[in-house]
Structures are given as C-alpha cells and as structure tokens.
C-alpha cells in the first residue's frame, strides 16, 4: 500500500512516497515525469521520519550519503543507471557518457539520459550530479535552476539552509 507526505526543503516542497513502508518516490513540484497525485496513496505524516531526518541533515550540510532503504521500480536498464548514480560522490559530477562507459555500453549516453530523467527518487538517488560531456548543465526533471542550485550547494558555494 502506498502512502505519502509532503516535507519542506530549500528547493520547494518534496513529496515522499512509500510502498509498504519503503521509500519509492521523492518528487519536486512541477517535476517532469511526476506521477499523478492519486497514485501516491493516503497522506501519512508519521511514516517518513528517517527520510525526513536524513534530508534535513543533507540540507544542513551534515550528510553526504543517504542510508535509506529504497524501492526503485523501473526496467533493468533504468535500475542499472540509478545504481551508477549512487556511486557518484557528493560534490562531484559525471557525464552521461561516463555513466554509459561504466555500464559497458559507451554508445548509450542518450539512453542513460532518458533513464536518469525517470529517476523516481530525486536528490537521494543523485541524478542532479549528471552533466553534459562538456560539463554543462543539461536537462533535469526538477528544472535546471534546481539542478544548478543543488550542484552549487554540494560544491560549497550556496548554503541550502538559508533558502528555507
């Protein structure tokens, strides 16, 4: 059974979704590929304490790596891309081509980009850390402004806590 809550963040309200108590979604407002609200299940503000605590610590600059149980639902290729995202260290970026190379399929950078864009658990599964080959910002489901701000925050040039 799915349940959800909405929690504040420096990047706008975040909708957290769990399936049988395991986090399966983190969506920003106006996010591309955001499922319809009615699929999130009833609201339960008591279920997401650990996720909210880790997000708060992340935004305070105290947490660099999330340790939550996640339920990522997607194709095997999508899940392999999302696994690679979790290997990108805090404050660093990789290109779509780097991820395709790591998957042993150097010609798959476009497919990597599509899978990256469908990541259902943004921020925690750090799809914002993927950039174009030249290092430039490319698409981001939460919007390029949020991506730029998240990267600046992780790079130390923006304080997330002042953005609430």
């Amino acid at each position: 059974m799915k349940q959800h809550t909405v929690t504040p963040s420096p990047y706008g309200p975040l909708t957290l979704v769990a399936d049988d108590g395991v986090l399966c979604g983190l969506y920003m407002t106006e996010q591309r590929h955001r499922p319809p609200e009615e699929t999130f299940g009833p609201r339960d503000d008591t279920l997401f304490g650990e996720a909210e605590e880790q997000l708060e610590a992340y935004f305070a600059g105290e947490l660099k790596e999330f340790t939550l149980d996640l339920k990522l639902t997607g194709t095997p290729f999508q899940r392999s891309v999302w696994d690679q995202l979790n290997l990108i260290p805090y404050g660093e970026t990789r290109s779509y081509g780097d991820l395709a190379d790591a998957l042993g399929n150097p010609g798959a950078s476009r497919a990597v980009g599509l899978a990256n864009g469908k990541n259902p658990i943004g921020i925690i599964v750090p799809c914002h850390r993927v950039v174009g080959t030249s290092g430039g910002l490319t698409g981001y489901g939460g919007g390029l402004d949020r991506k730029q701000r998240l990267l600046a925050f992780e790079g130390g040039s923006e304080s997330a806590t002042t953005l609430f």
Side-chain angles (χ1 to χ4, degrees):
M1 176 175 146
K2 286 191 177 179
Q3 296 169 297
H4 80 282
T5 193
V6 178
T7 191
S9 87
Y11 306 96
L14 302 176
T15 300
L16 305 176
V17 181
D19 189 3
D20 292 325
V22 181
L23 190 67
C24 67
L26 184 155
Y27 302 103
M28 299 175 191
T29 56
E30 301 167 14
Q31 179 172 330
R32 190 173 356 141
H33 305 298
R34 179 184 168 109
E37 298 283 329
E38 59 269 14
T39 66
F40 296 160
R43 184 163 178 159
D44 182 342
D45 294 334
T46 65
L47 182 65
F48 297 89
E50 183 64 26
E52 289 177 308
E53 286 175 21
Q54 287 192 33
L55 283 164
E56 187 175 318
Y58 168 79
F59 294 130
E62 300 165 357
L63 181 76
K64 308 285 189 235
E65 187 174 325
F66 293 92
T67 58
L68 298 165
D69 289 333
L70 304 176
K71 184 176 189 177
L72 289 158
T73 302
T75 67
F77 180 76
Q78 288 172 329
R79 288 194 312 269
S80 69
V81 170
W82 301 334
D83 288 344
Q84 287 297 312
L85 297 176
N86 281 320
L87 299 176
I88 305 172
Y90 179 95
E92 296 184 22
T93 60
R94 299 290 184 273
S95 72
Y96 297 100
D98 292 337
L99 292 178
D101 289 345
L103 292 169
N105 194 347
S109 59
R110 186 175 296 255
V112 165
L114 292 172
N116 191 54
K118 292 197 175 180
N119 170 20
I121 308 177
I123 300 174
I124 292 172
V125 177
C127 52
H128 60 278
R129 295 180 188 157
V130 183
V131 296
T133 302
S134 66
L137 297 185
T138 57
Y140 181 59
L144 285 180
D145 179 59
R146 284 188 183 124
K147 181 174 186 165
Q148 183 176 27
R149 291 173 56 207
L150 281 163
L151 291 173
F153 165 67
E154 288 189 3
S157 63
E158 182 172 294
S159 171
T161 56
T162 63
L163 301 173
F164 271 101

